[in-house]
Structure formats: C-alpha cells, structure tokens
Amino acid sequence: MASRIPEIRKAIDAARHPALLLVDTVSSLACIDYRHDEWGVDVSLSGSQKGLMLPPGLSFTALSEKAMAAMKAARLPRSYWDWQQMLRDNAGGFFPYTPATNLLYGLREAIAMLDEQGLDAVFARHARLAEATRAAAKAWGFELVATDPREYSASLTALLMPAGHDADALRKLILERFDMSLGTGLGKLKGKIFRIGHLGDFNDLMLAGTLAGIEMGLALARVPFRKGGVAAALERLAGS
Amino acid sequence: MASRIPEIRKAIDAARHPALLLVDTVSSLACIDYRHDEWGVDVSLSGSQKGLMLPPGLSFTALSEKAMAAMKAARLPRSYWDWQQMLRDNAGGFFPYTPATNLLYGLREAIAMLDEQGLDAVFARHARLAEATRAAAKAWGFELVATDPREYSASLTALLMPAGHDADALRKLILERFDMSLGTGLGKLKGKIFRIGHLGDFNDLMLAGTLAGIEMGLALARVPFRKGGVAAALERLAGS
Amino acid sequence: MASRIPEIRKAIDAARHPALLLVDTVSSLACIDYRHDEWGVDVSLSGSQKGLMLPPGLSFTALSEKAMAAMKAARLPRSYWDWQQMLRDNAGGFFPYTPATNLLYGLREAIAMLDEQGLDAVFARHARLAEATRAAAKAWGFELVATDPREYSASLTALLMPAGHDADALRKLILERFDMSLGTGLGKLKGKIFRIGHLGDFNDLMLAGTLAGIEMGLALARVPFRKGGVAAALERLAGS
Amino acid sequence: MASRIPEIRKAIDAARHPALLLVDTVSSLACIDYRHDEWGVDVSLSGSQKGLMLPPGLSFTALSEKAMAAMKAARLPRSYWDWQQMLRDNAGGFFPYTPATNLLYGLREAIAMLDEQGLDAVFARHARLAEATRAAAKAWGFELVATDPREYSASLTALLMPAGHDADALRKLILERFDMSLGTGLGKLKGKIFRIGHLGDFNDLMLAGTLAGIEMGLALARVPFRKGGVAAALERLAGS
C-alpha cells in the first residue's frame, strides 16, 4: 500500500505533534512520485535494490532541517549513526568510511537510465503495470490488501489468499516449479497474503510471465480461483 | 522444422549417391537430440549463440571419415577453410589462429550448466515448451509451417500469417511496443511467416511472456485471430 | 604495523582487566595468519575489500562468549547493532536485513581461490612481497614506521618521508603521473608517511610496478633518496 | 619491426608491378600511426585483440578501389570470402551472417576510450614505452631484431637471445614463475628471440613490471646479461 504522505504530514501538523515524519521509500523510490522537501518529510530512507535497479548494498537518507536539529539535540550515544560525520565528509565529496564503490558507479548508470526514460514515463509505466496486475487479481476473484484506491501501490500489489489456503505454500510451489519468488506477508499477515512486485527494470512481458506463473501456481496448488487473470491483464495492457 | 536426418541418410544411401550429408545444427544443438556419428552425418556445423547460451562468435564443425577423405581429394584452393591445419593444431590443444578466448571460457561454463541439468532434461524442457507453443498457435487459429508432426521443432516454431497480413509489420510492432524480437521468414516465406524461438536458457514464464507479447501484438495490429493462445499454453504447461 | 595480539591478550589477562579485546583485521585477514579463537580475541572485525579481493561492501564480525555475555548485559539502546537478531537469523541461513547478495557470491569465489592456493601459500606470498618492499625502502635510505621487526606487516608497509618533504604531495604526483594510489598517513602522521599496499590478489610483477612508480615519483618530486630500491627488491624476489 | 609502408608503395609503383599491397595491422592499429588511404594500401587487415583493447573475435578489412576491382575480376570460387555480400549488407547497417554482437558493443567503447585520450596521445604513449623498452634491452646488452631505427615498432620489441640460450626456455620459466607471457619467435627465429608487447591499454608501471619479470627471469635462467635494464627504463620514463 502506498501511504498518503502529504495527508499524514497535515494530520501531524494539525495535531501540533512534535514527532518527526520518517518515510521508508525502499520499495517506491524511482517507481512512484515522491517529494521529500515539498511534502515536508523529515527523514526519507531508501535502498539501491528496487526502483534504482541495482544490487542491494547502498542505502540513502534525506533529512529536513527539523531532523538535523533533532540530531543535534539527541543524547543517545552514537558513532556510525551520527549523521554529522557523513554530512561533513560528503560536503567535500568523501565518505567517513570506505563506501561500496562499485555500486556508486552502478548508481550513476541507473540515474542516467532513469533520466533517459524520464521520471514521468517511469512513473506512468509502473502505474500501468500495477493497474494490469489489479485487473488480474479481480479476474481471479482475489481481494487486494489495499482497500482504498488512493493507497494502491504502483510498485507492489498484495493479494489476500482465500481463507484456509496458505500463501507461503503457494509461494514455495511457484518458486520450485517456475523459479519465481513472490513476496511474503509480514507479521500478522504471514501466510495470509502474497505480494507481486512490478517495479524497477520491468515491462509488459515480464508482468505477463509473472502473472502466468501465479495463475499456473494457483491451479497446481488447488487454490480456488477463476481463470482469466492473465487474459484480463493482457486486455488492459494492450488497451492502454 | 526439424529435418529427419536418419531418413535422409537412408535415402542417400539407398540411391547410392556420393554426396556428403551436411547438417546445420545452429538452432538445434543442445536443444534437440542430435547424433553426428550414429546418424552417419558427414559434416555437422553449429554456433555458440543458440542452445549453447553464449554470445555469437564461435562456430563448430564435426567431420566424418568420408568428409576428411573428400577434403584431401578436393582441388579448390583454400587456406582458412583447410581443415588440416585446424586438425593438426587442435590435436595439441592449440588453434592455427587466435581463437575467441573469452567465449571458450563461456563454453566451458555452458557445458557445465547443460551437464548439471542433464541433456535428457534439457531436451524434454524444450519439447514441452514447443508443445505449449503449438497449443497457443492452434488456439489462435494459426497454421504451423511444419505440417508433419515428425518435423515439429523443439527449438523454433514458425506460424503462417493469415492471408493479406504482413508478418514483418507484426514483428515490427511487437519489437517497438514490447521490446521483443521474433524471427522473420526467409526467401519466399518473407512477410508470410514469423518464428517463435523457445531455445537455450528458456523457461515456462519466459514462454508465457513471449506468447503474451504475440497475443497483444496481434490485437494491436488488427490481425484476425481467436483469443486464448496464452491461456491454452498455460493449460498445457501446468498440466505437464 | 602488525599488532602482536597474543601478547596483548596476555597483558590484559595478567592485569586482570575486564576490557574486551577488539581486533580490526580489515587490512590483514587472508593476508597474515590470524586466529580469533586460539588467540582469545573477543571481537574481530573485517571487510571484503582487502585480502578477500572483493569490492567494498561486506563486513564481518566474530564474537567470543565473553563478547556475547557483554552484549546481553549492555544497556545502550540499539537495534541495527544488536547482534542477537543477526545471530538468530544467521542460524537458519538468513539475514535480518537485505544483504549485499552479489558480494556473497563473490565471497564464495574468493574463498575458493584462497583454498585453491592454500592459506599457508597465501601468507608466504604476502610475507615475501613485504620483505622485498622493505629491501626497497632500505635501498632508498627510507625509514620504516614499524621499528620492531615483530611488527612488520605482510600486507602494508609504511615509510617515513625525509624531514621537510610532504608525503601527500608525493602521493598526488604519483597518482597523477602514474595512475597509482598510495595510502596516506592518518592523524598525526598525515603528510609524514606514505603506505604501500601489497595485499590481496597481488604478485611479484605488480610489486615491481608499484615500487617503480615510487622510485620514479621520488625523482620527479625531487625528494632526496638513493636509487636502487627497485633493483634491491628484484634481487630479493628472484633470490627467494 | 614496423614496415615502412609508404616506401613499399613507392617501390611497387616504381616497378609498375600489378600486385596488391596487403598490410597486416593486427599488432599496430591504434598503437602506431597508420593511413590506409593516404599511403595507398590496397587491403588492410586488423583484429580486435591488440591496440583496440578487446578480446579476440573481431577482424577488420579495408579495401582500395583497386582491390575491389580485383575482387570482381577474380575467378577463385568463394562464398564467405566474397566481400560483395559484406559490402552490400554493411551499407544498410547489417551483416550477412550473425556478427559477434557483444564485441561490437565493446568496440564502441574502445573507440570512445581512444577518442577521449586522442589518437596522437595514444601514439606518443606507445612510442615512449617502446623507447624505454629499447633502453632496457641496451642496458642488458641485448641486440634488437630490428636493426634499422626507422623500423622500430612502438607496439612490440623483439630481442635476440645470446647464442646458445633458448628463448623459449626463458619464456617458459617467466610464465611459470611470474605468470607473464612473452611472445615467441616464429619460423626460423623460433627459440632465438622473444618479443615484448607494450601495446593497447598499457602504461608506465605495467612496462616496469614487464621488464622486471624479464630481468628476474634472465637471472633465474642463468642467461648472461648486465643488470640495470629496469633502472635504465625507469630513467627514461621519468625523464620524458
């Protein structure tokens, strides 16, 4: 689910609550429009391995003035997590520790690829793939975890399994049979949902292959579903 | 279409014809069972870029005793094409010219991958993917170029376009819209057919993506066809 | 300089001091013999980018029973630095966070390479290269930072610049002219020393090139030195 | 040895000889100035694996009008060697056969690297490295195979072994001991000479390492020589 950050910001402000607003953008940065400054986020975190199309190994932090003031006032002893060292060294183009150099070269290329395509086109591509994924879910007769269309995510779609069927057993069957790894449910959703990633360097035919793996997996796992999810997604993709 | 080599051998022998039997295995080696010695082939040729899963750049030649005798008797002036230099140097582990070294390392790994999976399993995988492809073609209402089931190929399937529709226009649309390149018809088949490759490092979900691209392309190109090709292929893949 | 860990352990024990013994092995692991358990080290830290011949991006921690007890008793609030999560997940082959997957594949290969050569041979190679480096330093008339032969390092050799000459100016000239990066002096040694790395995937001819760059750099920077450092190193390398 | 192509052209013309002038530029293209058109060469051949800094696998042919006329008049039966197919397909950006695609991407990058440095700088770099190599040979007391300075090559330097000493035994020792491969003598020069390559992506410190390997190899093989070749080369490199 995509959080409605500007509204959360407004709610915090309306309540005059002093909390910092932290946003985890690992699965959404460079997939969905996101505005750290404009939306008044205090701390934005991200990683290299999703929308930035790199191997895992880099993380990113963006800070507001308010977050920096909080850092200065904080009394928790810290060293590695002390942003001041990083801010000071970054100013001169350096890092306080040996960075993952190879990934920085990769990042330069990833950003060039995103710029070449244009961020608006990247966001539109992900929105379109998400829409086709939801069309498949609907055709299968599966409910989405996100019930509010304003919270539909353009990078991940989570589906609820029919009651009495284990999502993780389905995931395991699909991994073994089709070499495809779906996301698991975390915490109280464990076993009850599975997540379909359609983010990063991803296109129509990769989504078709993904949904085909799920449709065949559902049949093989004898999970009750209506056929036609892939067909519904293709209809949507060819029509838009 | 897969040629029926043992029958061709028998026919040549029955006619007592002196011709050498040359077989081009570029698109079939390591995808379909093939036996140079057992089938009495005189010259087998192949390349690195299909079933061997490598970039293009290496080619392979296997010779029968009869082919070697023909080489010795031949009077066409030749140098690079003179197998004797290659045979002599290969005996000691060398090449008469600088070989494409990097591809030789790749070849070692490709052979290890094929051995790990087992050639029988590799052949069975390709046969199964080809069968699902033909199921899709049938569902779309398209005719195969191969009319004799004994000549169905496990690595490539060629489909006839409905009369009055240009296969190359369809191929162009699919390339531009879905970034997928289908094979063209050669010679008198140009524009009349397109070929679907399902060879090499290829699995069920890649085939599903491939067929989805064709099904969407047919709709976008307004080529008359019956929907359901992808669904028929999935049915076949999940059932076998 | 290579610290004499077993003696430090003994000294701590003799003083009955409760301190944990922490050892930074970033520049020495897989270059010099090191024994976490046998030497009674409490916490050993390392990184992927030196003796393990990988890009930077992985770090390693080994713990003693005593360190684990200290962890349980510690009252500093922590989350990422809480070893318990890592210990619990590692037991099942997992990580509490997304690891730098690609580097783990590289690590598997690096360990295979070290095993193929044999750790004893790897240590002997580094010791020999270090000895030749010291022979060069002596021939140039430069003093080593390490004055006690028991603390000579097999992975890095630090040299003192002649008084009145800036080590960092020399390093800059060598980088620009010969595309070679020497290590800098840290803290109060800044500008006074430079460090020669001879660790990881490194051999006789790479060392010869390295020392040649320094010898030419010294001449170009008009630093007083005696010629013959490279020649002395070659003598040593060819003789052993 | 670098052939003096313009003089050979003049000699052929002066003799009014009808022969085509063919030049093998495999070891010199992009290392030494070369002008196919200006020098009146009929056929220039090259490869990817030397000055172009790529793996082996691509070759190049440039033709004069006269060579093309000869092709049309030639009566030797040919197919693969028939330039007309290649000329026709190349005109539209295609190849008559599947080209080594990956190397074509590499070639694009290699050319970008050469352009970034500038061909004049590339030629000057090679000339300078060759000069230092000859200084080393002279210091060792070895004769060059090239006796005429106008034929000194900027990409390769061939040295004559002292009488009674086998160049190939030296090459074997250096390969085994220092993991460095020197070029062998061909034909009647076999065992009598060895060749030092200083071409392609090669710099001062690589040359220093190369010459160090030879100097140590000569000592280990008990070949009579005067020490100081490396030192002489460094003197030259630092002075220019």
Side-chain angles (χ1 to χ4, degrees), chain B residues 121-142:
Chain B
V122 171
F123 296 156
R125 171 165 54 85
H126 287 103
R128 194 170 152 271
L129 295 171
E131 206 183 305
T133 304
R134 292 192 298 270
K138 194 176 168 190
W140 288 328
F142 277 47

Side-chain angles (χ1 to χ4, degrees), chain B residues 146-184:
Chain B
T147 50
D148 185 333
R150 289 173 301 177
E151 297 182 350
Y152 286 164
S153 162
S155 53
L156 287 167
T157 298
L159 305 193
L160 278 165
M161 283 292 278
H165 291 272
D166 181 7
D168 289 338
L170 174 69
R171 290 175 55 248
K172 186 168 181 284
L173 180 151
I174 290 173
L175 178 59
E176 286 170 3
R177 180 75 180 252
F178 301 113
D179 198 18
M180 177 169 75
S181 177
L182 293 166
T184 187

Side-chain angles (χ1 to χ4, degrees), chain C residues 212 215-216 227-232 234, chain D residues 132 135-137 139-140 207-208 211-212 215 226-239:
Chain C
E215 188 154 329
M216 290 191 284
K227 285 189 182 179
V230 173
L234 298 189
Chain D
W140 289 327
L207 179 63
L211 298 174
E215 188 154 329
R226 291 197 305 269
K227 285 189 181 179
V230 173
L234 297 189
E235 196 94 17
R236 189 64 59 110
L237 290 174

Side-chain angles (χ1 to χ4, degrees), chain A residues 179-222:
Chain A
D179 199 17
M180 177 170 75
S181 177
L182 294 166
T184 188
L186 300 171
K188 64 179 183 179
L189 292 174
K190 187 154 179 52
K192 297 197 161 61
I193 71 159
F194 63 91
R195 292 177 300 145
I196 304 168
H198 33 74
L199 78 179
D201 183 17
F202 204 75
N203 67 20
D204 289 16
L205 303 195
M206 292 176 191
L207 180 63
T210 302
L211 298 174
I214 296 170
E215 187 153 331
M216 290 191 284
L218 291 169
L220 290 164
R222 301 185 183 282

Side-chain angles (χ1 to χ4, degrees), chain C residues 177 204 220 227 235 238 240, chain D residues 177-178 208 220 227 235 238 240:
Chain C
R177 181 72 182 253
D204 289 16
L220 290 164
K227 285 189 182 179
E235 196 94 17
S240 60
Chain D
R177 180 74 180 252
F178 301 113
L220 290 163
K227 285 189 181 179
E235 196 94 17
S240 61

Side-chain angles (χ1 to χ4, degrees), chain C residues 19-83:
Chain C
L20 293 173
L21 174 55
L22 273 71
V23 181
D24 170 350
T25 71
V26 171
S27 297
S28 57
L29 194 74
C31 302
I32 305 179
D33 194 13
Y34 181 76
R35 298 164 189 251
H36 173 80
D37 289 322
E38 195 179 321
W39 293 351
V41 179
D42 292 308
V43 182
S44 297
L45 301 169
S46 202
S48 54
Q49 74 270 30
K50 306 266 182 173
L52 291 171
M53 307 175 289
L54 292 166
L58 284 183
S59 63
F60 303 88
T61 311
L63 304 174
S64 69
E65 294 292 325
K66 189 175 165 189
M68 287 203 265
M71 159 186 78
K72 280 168 195 157
R75 291 189 306 184
L76 181 75
R78 70 218 111 121
S79 166
Y80 183 82
W81 295 122
D82 186 352
W83 295 330

Side-chain angles (χ1 to χ4, degrees), chain A residues 128 177-180 203-205 208-210 212-213 215-216 219-220 227 230 234-235 237-240, chain B residues 128 177-180 203-205 208-210 212-213 215-216 219-220 227 230 234-235 237-240:
Chain A
R128 196 173 149 271
R177 180 74 180 252
F178 301 113
D179 199 17
M180 177 170 75
N203 67 20
D204 289 16
L205 303 195
T210 302
E215 187 153 331
M216 290 191 284
L220 290 164
K227 285 189 181 178
V230 174
L234 298 188
E235 195 94 15
L237 291 172
S240 60
Chain B
R128 194 170 152 271
R177 180 75 180 252
F178 301 113
D179 198 18
M180 177 169 75
N203 67 20
D204 289 15
L205 303 194
T210 303
E215 188 154 329
M216 290 190 284
L220 290 164
K227 286 189 180 178
V230 173
L234 298 188
E235 194 95 16
L237 290 172
S240 61

